[in-house]
Amino acid sequence: MAELFALLANVWDTVRFPLGGAACLSGAILCIIGTIGVLRFPDFYTRVHAASITDTSGAGLVVVGMVLMAPSWIVVVKLFCILGFLLLTSATASHALVNAAHTAGLQPKIGPMAKRGHDDEEEGAH
Amino acid sequence: MTLAALFAVLVGMCLLLVRALLGPTLYDRVLAVNSFGTKTVLLLGLLGFVMGRPDFLDIAILYTLINFVSTIAVLKFFRYRSFQVPLARRGDGISNGGDN
Amino acid sequence: MAYLLGIFFAILAFWMGNSGYYKPLMLGFAALSITVTLFACARMQLIDREGAPYVRLFGWLAYYPWLTWEVIKSNWVIIKACLRADLDIHPALVKIKTVCKSDLAKVTFANSITLTPGTVTVEIEGDKLLVHGLYEASTVPEAFLEMDRRCARAADPAEKRA
């Protein structure tokens, strides 16, 4: 039984670095995808949705990958602190942003918008 | 692989700078800067792992909190044009009538 | 007093988890910084029921795994929307009514909506939330019923629940 556990620990120690690297890389690629969304979407309110990909799945995957590669338990605690703060503060910050834009009178574009030729963003009233 | 992730996050940051530079409204710029801060936190963590010094995570924790506070501060300043107005407990009817 | 102890243990756990040095000098610095932080909390009137929400901890522990799965599902939709060649989105702005009673439950609900990619809370007024969504089909008020129910179960005190 002890040999089995030792073997499992050995396998885990060899597997966790490639696994963590893959998770980090896919999280970073999700960050790029979210940024592409921020660049492509037509108005401010829709860009917030694209930015929240970076904040939730991108950051989550990168942090999980770093947890897999962590050398000691204290690093794991710090990483979970970072993840918790990121999830709490990014949601609050995007709500504050959208609320401020709404209060200032920035009107969202409503309705289907497939195949728009040009961007005609209006200036916010501020 | 971690190094590749580091460069991918850097590419994302460069693309976000484009939105921060040409965002038509103020809020687009603040959104871009906030997202840039989130990516900076990830970059700091990955950099610590690439260089074999996970002590960088302390800086990343601090940057998370400072990023949030600075976003709120910028939004508050552009709404009230001042840092003097308290956000809570102002009692002018705007606060949602909770049952606290 | 119980609230003060709750905040004290939270700060102590945070310090222990982040420091890694347990020599007497460092522990003395920890005691000093915890005292100063507690004094600042007391000055800012943060030591109350919301400052130490331990009673609701088990409700949250049951709620957040479910929310994680929801976030993953809606992430996939938004990733596809970002990478499509034609920008096939249909933004909508709806007003939904929540059954959450306490402030904490409302904040949990609004935070969950914002955390889920594709929907973001614009405004809270009383028990009505203004929500902006990327797809009209996923922003109808019926789509939030289950999240609303789970938030009320996780964060509302038992005597206020309908």
Side-chain angles (χ1 to χ4, degrees):
Chain A
M1 204 62 189
E3 289 168 11
L4 184 67
F5 277 133
L7 182 71
L8 275 183
N10 208 354
V11 167
W12 174 241
D13 270 349
T14 46
V15 145
R16 69 189 183 123
F17 286 100
L19 218 62
C24 279
L25 190 57
S26 48
I29 287 172
L30 282 184
C31 283
I32 295 184
I33 291 175
T35 312
I36 291 172
V38 171
L39 285 176
R40 278 186 70 201
F41 279 172
D43 82 322
F44 165 71
Y45 292 90
T46 46
R47 280 175 204 144
V48 172
H49 300 311
S52 70
I53 289 183
T54 306
D55 291 340
T56 57
S57 64
L61 268 175
V62 170
V63 170
V64 165
M66 288 196 280
V67 165
L68 287 178
M69 293 190 292
S72 65
W73 62 271
I74 211 150
V75 173
V76 177
V77 173
K78 281 177 193 172
L79 283 170
F80 276 113
C81 279
I82 290 181
L83 187 61
F85 287 149
L86 268 185
L87 290 184
L88 277 178
T89 58
S90 70
T92 313
S94 38
H95 168 71
L97 257 170
V98 173
N99 197 359
H102 187 76
T103 312
L106 188 67
Q107 290 300 319
K109 288 178 183 168
I110 301 297
M113 49 183 66
K115 308 237 168 54
R116 289 184 72 95
H118 58 287
D119 287 351
D120 47 351
E121 287 111 344
E122 59 265 58
E123 286 290 323
H126 59 258
Chain B
M1 195 109 69
T2 320
L3 199 63
L6 186 78
F7 280 108
V9 173
L10 269 178
V11 169
M13 288 167 86
C14 293
L15 287 175
L16 260 183
L17 275 185
V18 176
R19 175 50 75 193
L21 286 177
L22 54 79
T25 67
L26 165 80
Y27 303 103
D28 289 295
R29 292 175 211 268
V30 179
L31 174 73
V33 169
N34 186 22
S35 196
F36 192 82
T38 307
K39 284 194 178 55
T40 309
V41 172
L42 301 180
L43 185 83
L44 276 172
L46 286 172
L47 194 66
F49 272 82
V50 165
M51 293 169 64
R53 290 170 58 192
D55 307 333
F56 277 35
L57 289 176
D58 295 333
I59 311 173
I61 292 180
L62 266 184
Y63 205 92
T64 318
L65 301 172
I66 291 177
N67 182 34
F68 173 63
V69 172
S70 63
T71 304
I72 299 292
V74 167
L75 286 176
K76 183 183 175 185
F77 182 76
F78 279 100
R79 177 157 173 197
Y80 297 108
R81 297 282 157 187
S82 153
F83 290 122
Q84 297 285 323
V85 188
L87 278 180
R89 303 193 189 100
R90 69 192 154 200
D92 54 357
I94 300 178
S95 63
N96 46 355
D99 50 352
N100 39 7
Chain C
M1 195 63 203
Y3 298 140
L4 191 71
L5 273 181
I7 292 185
F8 170 75
F9 280 118
I11 297 173
L12 188 67
F14 185 67
W15 192 91
M16 288 288 183
N18 275 311
S19 161
Y21 295 101
Y22 303 116
K23 295 194 211 76
L25 176 70
M26 286 297 164
L27 288 177
F29 284 150
L32 191 69
S33 57
I34 288 174
T35 313
V36 171
T37 312
L38 282 181
F39 177 69
C41 282
R43 232 182 98 88
M44 289 161 72
Q45 302 170 3
L46 288 180
I47 301 178
D48 53 4
R49 195 170 56 89
E50 288 180 359
Y54 288 106
V55 186
R56 256 57 66 72
L57 204 59
F58 293 105
W60 277 343
L61 283 184
Y63 173 67
Y64 273 99
W66 178 80
L67 182 68
T68 310
W69 179 239
E70 289 293 303
V71 167
I72 291 171
K73 274 195 293 187
S74 54
N75 251 313
W76 180 241
V77 178
I78 307 300
I79 288 169
K80 277 193 294 188
C82 281
L83 294 180
R84 284 175 81 108
D86 56 338
L87 217 51
D88 184 20
I89 54 176
H90 188 157
L93 200 63
V94 293
K95 196 162 238 186
I96 61 177
K97 204 169 176 314
T98 170
V99 297
C100 298
K101 294 288 189 297
S102 62
D103 278 357
L104 190 64
K106 277 181 211 161
V107 167
T108 310
F109 184 41
N111 200 16
S112 312
I113 290 178
T114 312
L115 205 54
T116 315
T119 48
V120 56
T121 315
V122 180
E123 218 171 35
I124 307 181
E125 256 189 277
D127 61 347
K128 292 198 183 57
L129 280 79
L130 192 64
V131 173
H132 183 273
L134 197 56
Y135 286 105
E136 197 188 26
S138 64
T139 324
V140 288
E142 287 79 32
F144 297 103
L145 278 181
E146 186 173 8
M147 186 185 278
D148 192 9
R149 202 168 44 77
R150 282 175 186 264
C151 278
R153 202 165 58 199
D156 259 348
E159 68 269 14
K160 277 187 184 167
R161 219 173 287 155

